[in-house]
Amino acid sequence: MKVVTVSEMREIDKYAIEYLNIREEILMENAGLAAYQVIEREVGKIKGKIVVVVCGTGNNGGDGLVVSRKIHSQGGDVRVFIVGSHTQFKGATQLNFQIVKNLNIPVHINPSQELLSKDLSECDCIIDAIFGTGLSRPIDGYIREIIETINESGKKVLSLDIPSGVNGNTGIIMGTAIKAHATVTFGLPKLGNLLYPGFKMGGKLYISNISLPPELLEKDSLKVAVNEPPPLPPRDPEAHKGSVGDCLFIAGSSGYYGAPYLAAMSFYKAGGGYSRLATPRSIVGFLSRGGSEIVFLPQDETNEGTIAYSNLDKLLSLADRVDIVVVGPGLSLHEETKKLVRSLTAEIKKPLLIDGDGITAIADSQDVIRSREKPTIITPHPGEMTRLTKMTIHELTKDRVEILRKTSDKLRSIIVLKGAHTLIGYPDGRVLINTTGNAGMATAGSGDVLTGTIAAMYGSGLSIEDAVAKGVYIHGRAGDIAASRLGMDGITASDIMETLPYALQEERLKQPVEKAYTEI
């Protein structure tokens, strides 16, 4: 499913109204009907229930007024509170305000906190129709007090389009925001519906196309989508270890044993056939105790126990024999090893995945990435992304999607920006938002497991672009399975790795997986 910016959704609405003659009143009516359906799902039959609807003065408020009519027509006790001046109502919003008045539905303009609190204490459900995606400045003063009163009520809240206070383009909270039990968004999900912290504020996410045609909602010009990768290719009954993925991992250093082990072993756990680990000679004995299936390639090392530059020609020869190369997990930041990484990046003629310390090594030598002919995958966490972009974390979080898009284009690379709802950026401007995974995966080594999983997906026969999307998705599902069995608080990277086969089995058996959203 596509995901849009606020301006992209406005353009879709505008086209539908001006060129398809789908009147604004029809779109607003359909939005209100969809919201009413969600209310019934979340609180049951509405007859006899008390519902408080808090409306702003824009189209989001108009959607709330339509919901008020629906509740009233079904025997609900609806009470409307308008925040702002009703004289600002226009078009379909003004029309629905007049209908609500004609129906003698109770309407309170800029209510006191005491009045609102009294009705909130009596109600069964609250409808948040204050701002929607139209918010452009931080919330303060009277409206902030209204939102905080709603949040403190302890009642179920349904937000229309997006929780009021959440930025529709970034998911950032604009001072304060509604904490919804559920959100129904219209047309397509907005970036703020799926990006944290906005996703957390929205509760269950419902999506209604409000009668907009598929050709508007599936346009190629819409470059952001939910990560819903294609199925795994069937595993050939006559497969052998060389036909289901042969990967060279250049990883590890003295004192960093976990990263190379987790990356190389996760390749096997995710279905890969031949995992070769080039690592310092002195740590091979230790690693082999836990990873006997790994093919170890001992490397000459520096005095500090890192892979020496003198291994360059040997590593390039090894790289020519495999399907994909991974550079970086646990390599350390030793200057000689960083020089090796830069030379390998420039000269390897196979798809290359750069992770961990490898990212730091090439952050100040980005020409070696841009000049590569074969695909490059870079998997930074936010701190590593700041090194690639020369931005602060604060600057990065302001607009992660657009920054990722520009950086992927600049580096001619697929970039996996790890975090809650990991983002995948492609050089052609596409961005995928991954919705599998959980907070328990915020643990050392989780990214190394992801690295091995992506490499294994490429070995399965997927294209490099689909392999990245599938690897991120399967890694998240493995984390979800681990959390369901162990609880989030105790998950380790090894737990995620050990549940990779179960995530793959779930995929092969086509077992249903709960999505981050529900279409209505």
Side-chain angles (χ1 to χ4, degrees):
M1 175 172 283
K2 301 284 189 175
V3 184
V4 291
T5 63
V6 173
S7 60
E8 285 173 334
M9 194 66 237
R10 285 176 181 156
E11 286 301 312
I12 290 171
D13 286 341
K14 181 179 179 181
Y15 186 91
I17 293 167
E18 294 182 0
Y19 294 96
L20 301 182
N21 291 320
I22 304 175
R23 294 172 62 91
E24 182 185 23
E25 292 87 348
I26 294 175
L27 294 177
M28 189 171 285
E29 191 73 15
N30 289 343
L33 179 59
Y36 180 81
Q37 292 171 345
V38 173
I39 296 171
E40 286 204 323
R41 287 191 185 204
E42 295 298 324
V43 301
K45 290 297 182 182
I46 209 68
K47 186 174 183 178
K49 287 188 169 67
I50 300 173
V51 182
V52 169
V53 182
V54 186
C55 299
T57 57
N59 283 351
N60 197 246
D63 296 337
L65 293 169
V66 175
V67 175
S68 302
R69 290 175 28 230
K70 302 292 183 186
I71 294 167
H72 177 75
S73 69
Q74 296 301 312
D77 179 353
V78 60
R79 304 168 188 184
V80 177
F81 292 81
I82 294 173
V83 179
S85 174
H86 65 283
T87 60
Q88 296 177 6
F89 288 154
K90 297 177 182 177
T93 302
Q94 172 62 32
L95 172 64
N96 278 288
F97 178 63
Q98 189 60 53
I99 295 172
V100 164
K101 286 173 59 180
N102 293 343
L103 292 171
N104 293 319
I105 295 172
V107 177
H108 305 280
I109 311 293
N110 291 321
S112 66
Q113 279 186 274
E114 291 76 17
L115 177 60
L116 178 61
S117 295
K118 175 182 177 297
D119 278 31
L120 292 181
S121 68
E122 299 172 353
C123 76
D124 297 286
C125 178
I126 304 166
I127 307 301
D128 158 37
I130 303 173
F131 288 123
T133 60
L135 183 65
S136 59
R137 63 184 185 279
I139 296 171
D140 57 16
Y142 172 70
I143 297 180
R144 184 185 185 103
E145 293 174 357
I146 293 294
I147 288 176
E148 290 174 351
T149 299
I150 291 171
N151 286 342
E152 291 166 4
S153 71
K155 299 300 176 71
K156 280 189 174 182
V157 181
L158 170 66
S159 286
L160 305 188
D161 222 8
I162 199 167
S164 292
V166 173
N167 185 293
N169 287 329
T170 66
I172 291 173
I173 296 172
M174 308 288 281
T176 190
I178 291 289
K179 181 72 172 82
H181 176 79
T183 299
V184 55
T185 197
F186 309 119
L188 288 168
K190 289 63 182 182
L191 291 172
N193 290 124
L194 290 172
L195 298 178
Y196 277 91
F199 179 77
K200 176 180 67 176
M201 302 301 288
K204 298 179 187 176
L205 179 61
Y206 294 88
I207 302 169
S208 171
N209 70 10
I210 59 171
S211 79
L212 294 168
E215 54 266 29
L216 287 184
L217 304 180
E218 299 170 4
K219 294 189 300 181
D220 289 341
S221 61
L222 301 175
K223 294 292 189 179
V224 184
V226 178
N227 183 25
E228 296 170 324
L232 284 170
R235 200 167 176 98
D236 188 343
E238 298 183 273
H240 56 84
K241 63 185 178 184
S243 67
V244 287
D246 190 342
C247 182
L248 172 62
F249 293 87
I250 303 171
S253 60
S254 177
Y256 290 93
Y257 303 160
Y261 166 77
L262 288 166
M265 200 65 197
S266 292
F267 180 76
Y268 282 135
K269 289 289 186 177
Y274 208 130
S275 183
R276 308 169 190 255
L277 176 56
T279 198
R281 191 178 307 279
S282 62
I283 68 173
V284 168
F286 179 84
L287 293 176
S288 63
R289 296 174 198 168
S292 57
E293 300 92 337
I294 299 169
V295 178
F296 289 95
L297 306 168
Q299 302 295 299
D300 296 335
E301 53 192 85
T302 65
N303 291 335
E304 287 76 19
T306 70
I307 300 178
Y309 188 83
S310 60
N311 297 289
L312 175 62
D313 290 341
K314 179 170 58 175
L315 289 171
L316 289 173
S317 177
L318 288 167
D320 285 340
R321 296 159 50 189
V322 300
D323 301 318
I324 185 170
V325 180
V326 170
V327 174
L331 273 181
S332 88
L333 301 180
H334 190 280
E335 285 303 321
E336 182 176 335
T337 307
K338 288 165 66 177
K339 179 183 175 184
L340 173 65
V341 170
R342 291 190 285 269
S343 295
L344 289 168
T345 300
E347 298 185 46
I348 285 174
K349 307 301 182 186
K350 294 292 177 74
L352 176 65
L353 192 159
I354 306 173
D355 184 37
D357 294 332
I359 297 173
T360 302
I362 53 88
D364 293 325
S365 304
Q366 297 183 8
D367 284 345
V368 299
I369 308 172
R370 287 191 288 266
S371 61
R372 281 181 47 78
E373 294 182 6
K374 293 294 183 179
T376 308
I377 306 157
I378 310 173
T379 57
H381 57 57
E384 291 162 342
M385 189 67 172
T386 64
R387 292 172 208 145
L388 288 173
T389 60
K390 312 306 178 189
M391 293 181 174
T392 65
I393 287 285
H394 178 68
E395 290 170 328
L396 178 62
T397 55
K398 277 185 178 179
D399 196 351
R400 286 182 294 157
V401 169
E402 190 57 29
I403 292 168
L404 175 63
R405 194 198 308 270
K406 289 179 179 178
T407 308
S408 295
D409 174 53
K410 176 184 175 183
L411 298 182
R412 299 178 60 237
S413 301
I414 302 171
I415 299 179
V416 178
L417 179 54
K418 295 181 286 194
H421 284 188
T422 288
L423 302 178
I424 307 167
Y426 294 93
D428 63 3
R430 289 178 296 128
V431 174
L432 299 179
I433 302 175
N434 190 66
T435 58
T436 59
N438 60 82
M441 298 174 72
T443 184
S446 177
D448 302 308
V449 177
L450 172 62
T451 292
T453 304
I454 291 173
M457 294 302 101
Y458 183 61
S460 76
L462 290 170
S463 70
I464 198 72
E465 293 185 350
D466 288 341
V468 176
K470 197 70 173 184
V472 172
Y473 179 89
I474 290 292
H475 176 255
R477 277 302 302 150
D480 289 338
I481 294 168
S484 70
R485 296 179 177 186
L486 303 171
M488 284 189 198
D489 294 317
I491 297 176
T492 65
S494 293
D495 295 324
I496 301 169
M497 180 178 73
E498 293 299 334
T499 49
L500 284 170
Y502 296 102
L504 293 168
Q505 182 185 48
E506 177 183 83
E507 168 91 10
R508 295 292 190 193
L509 296 177
K510 295 181 172 58
Q511 293 175 349
V513 177
E514 184 177 356
K515 291 184 177 182
Y517 61 87
T518 300
E519 295 180 72
I520 58 172

